[in-house]
Every structure is written in structure tokens, then in C-alpha cells.
Amino acid sequence: MDEVKVVVAHSERATLRVGDVFLKVDADQARIDVEVGAMALAPVPTPEVLWRKPPVLAIAAVPGTALGRLGEPSTASPAAWAAAGAAIRKLHDAPLPARRGRAGRDLDELAADLDGECELLVADGILPADLVTRNRQVAEAALRPWPPAFTHGDLQIAHVFVDDDEITGIIDWSEAGQGDALYDLATLTLGHEEHLGDVIAGYGNDVDLDVIRAWWSLRSLLVVRWLVEHGFDPSAPGCEVDVLKSRM
């Protein structure tokens, strides 16, 4: 029997790997609905859906290896990062899905959540006030109107798989929908700023780099407290706290 590997697990969802099959267990079936629907529409390589029996979704593993991991140097070539940029452009240029995704949150709601998180980060002693204040200033550039695009919504580098400098699959689509294209680019390059130029080379040059940097700050500020509360370490080298410090 194949070994069972826990890929990720917390109070909201868990993903297990058994051989070449991933089993996703999610308390919110709406997220699974979004994931299955988005994979059917996306014009990029996605995992094959093997079966679904709520609350479990079974998908096939995609070939290749992840582009990288947050907090670790990426061994992928510049050509692989550029291929990721080209795939993302293809996604962003595709016909829009019906719903808004994580990258398309209402700006007033997002700003209110951000301000609330900033207050708690300081009040709870998780981050120093000057670090939070500076990054809140940087994050402001992301809070502007954006043309809607078909976005992945959680495009971490661990969700993009490559083989021989080609994209073989993009996984975890539960946050997909209409949204700000630059949110996806920022999520992909979070903690890997040195590869931003390679991604843009594949994606195209019509990109506002200040907004990408703003999304790095905004995304990091929003997730630090959640990560701490769920047993993750955003202070590990190269992770979210280092991203925030790099803006000082």
C-alpha cells in the first residue's frame, strides 16, 4: 500500500497524498465547487479530477516539480519562471468566470480588513509598530481600481509545477475568479523578488511593479497572524516577515 503523506492540514481543510492521488478534504464544499469549475475553464494545465464524494475531492498528481517553496531558494531556471509568466498571461487573458475570486475582493472591505489586522499585529506584539506602519503605507498602492482578469487567487510557487522548463500543471484553484491580475503575479513572486524579472519577461512588460510590491506587503500583513495561530512560522527565513522587512 502506498504511504499516506499529509501535504497540508489545519482546521479548515486538509490535503493528503496517496501515491499519485491527492485527496482534498474541505469543510466548505463551495470551495471545492469553485476549484472544479475553475479547472474546467482555465486554459492552462490543471490536475485531472478523478472523483468527488463530499467532503473529499480526488485529483491526479501533475508531473514535474514545484517551481519552488516560500523560504527556500528556487532551483528552477529563469526559463521556467518565464514559462510561468507566460502561462499566467494566458490565464489572465481568458474569458472571465462568473464569480469574483480572492484576488477580486471589494476594496473598501479589503482596506478595512487590512487596517484591522495591522492594529492587531501591533496590539498583540506580533510585529513592531514601525514595520507594520511602513508596510501599510506601501500596501496602499494596491488599493486601486483594476481591470478584471481570470485569476487563480492563490498562486503560490508551490502550486506551479514545471518539467524541462515547461509548465505541467497549476494546482489549488479554490480561490479562483475575477480579480486583479497583479495579485497573482505578486503571490507567485512573494519571497522570490529576484525572479520577478523572469516572470515579467514571460508575462509581458505592461506591469506596474509598485503595485506588485504593494501586494507583497498587503498579502503578508493579512496572513501573518493567521499563520501564527495555525501553527505555521511566518518568521522563518525568506517568509512573510522577511518580505515585510525588505520594504523598510
Side-chain angles (χ1 to χ4, degrees), residues 139-231:
E140 186 66 27
L143 301 174
R144 86 284 176 232
W146 37 264
F150 187 162
T151 54
H152 180 281
D154 191 21
L155 200 62
Q156 305 172 45
I157 54 173
H159 293 166
V160 180
F161 284 73
V162 296
D163 186 29
D164 196 23
D165 296 340
E166 294 186 2
I167 302 303
T168 55
I170 299 176
I171 66 172
D172 285 359
W173 291 80
S174 62
E175 306 289 354
Q178 295 184 31
D180 180 3
L182 299 190
Y183 180 93
D184 273 354
L185 293 176
T187 304
L188 181 72
T189 54
L190 183 77
H192 289 272
E193 186 171 356
E194 71 277 10
H195 292 293
L196 178 58
D198 299 323
V199 172
I200 300 306
Y203 185 85
N205 292 321
D206 52 334
V207 171
D208 189 330
L209 298 182
D210 287 339
V211 173
I212 289 181
R213 296 185 183 101
W215 274 122
W216 287 339
S217 291
L218 197 157
R219 180 181 170 90
S220 297
L221 288 169
L222 285 179
V223 302
V224 163
R225 194 168 59 89
W226 184 94
L227 291 169
V228 170
E229 291 177 350
H230 287 77

Side-chain angles (χ1 to χ4, degrees), residues 15-232:
T15 301
L16 310 176
R17 180 169 186 168
V18 186
D20 289 332
V21 177
F22 285 88
L23 302 176
K24 306 189 73 171
V25 185
D26 200 314
D28 184 353
Q29 286 303 292
R31 280 194 293 254
I32 297 295
D33 292 339
V34 170
E35 179 157 14
V36 172
M39 289 193 295
L41 293 174
V44 296
T46 61
E48 177 189 0
V49 175
L50 300 176
W51 51 265
R52 180 181 180 186
K53 186 175 182 180
V56 182
L57 172 69
I59 60 176
V62 298
T65 57
L67 192 62
R69 302 280 177 184
L70 184 62
E72 301 175 7
S74 172
T75 59
S77 69
W81 282 88
I88 299 166
R89 169 64 85 174
K90 189 174 183 180
L91 174 67
H92 290 168
D93 287 344
L96 294 173
R99 68 181 295 277
R100 279 198 178 199
R102 170 60 63 175
R105 294 181 59 193
D106 176 80
L107 293 180
D108 290 337
E109 175 189 321
L110 183 59
D113 285 352
L114 177 60
D115 289 338
E117 280 298 316
C118 288
E119 290 178 10
L120 288 171
L121 287 168
V122 175
D124 294 348
I126 297 173
L127 293 176
D130 60 339
L131 182 64
V132 172
T133 299
R134 170 57 183 157
N135 278 275
R136 177 60 183 87
Q137 293 169 346
V138 173
E140 186 66 27
L143 301 174
R144 86 284 176 232
W146 37 264
F150 187 162
T151 54
H152 180 281
D154 191 21
L155 200 62
Q156 305 172 45
I157 54 173
H159 293 166
V160 180
F161 284 73
V162 296
D163 186 29
D164 196 23
D165 296 340
E166 294 186 2
I167 302 303
T168 55
I170 299 176
I171 66 172
D172 285 359
W173 291 80
S174 62
E175 306 289 354
Q178 295 184 31
D180 180 3
L182 299 190
Y183 180 93
D184 273 354
L185 293 176
T187 304
L188 181 72
T189 54
L190 183 77
H192 289 272
E193 186 171 356
E194 71 277 10
H195 292 293
L196 178 58
D198 299 323
V199 172
I200 300 306
Y203 185 85
N205 292 321
D206 52 334
V207 171
D208 189 330
L209 298 182
D210 287 339
V211 173
I212 289 181
R213 296 185 183 101
W215 274 122
W216 287 339
S217 291
L218 197 157
R219 180 181 170 90
S220 297
L221 288 169
L222 285 179
V223 302
V224 163
R225 194 168 59 89
W226 184 94
L227 291 169
V228 170
E229 291 177 350
H230 287 77
F232 300 99

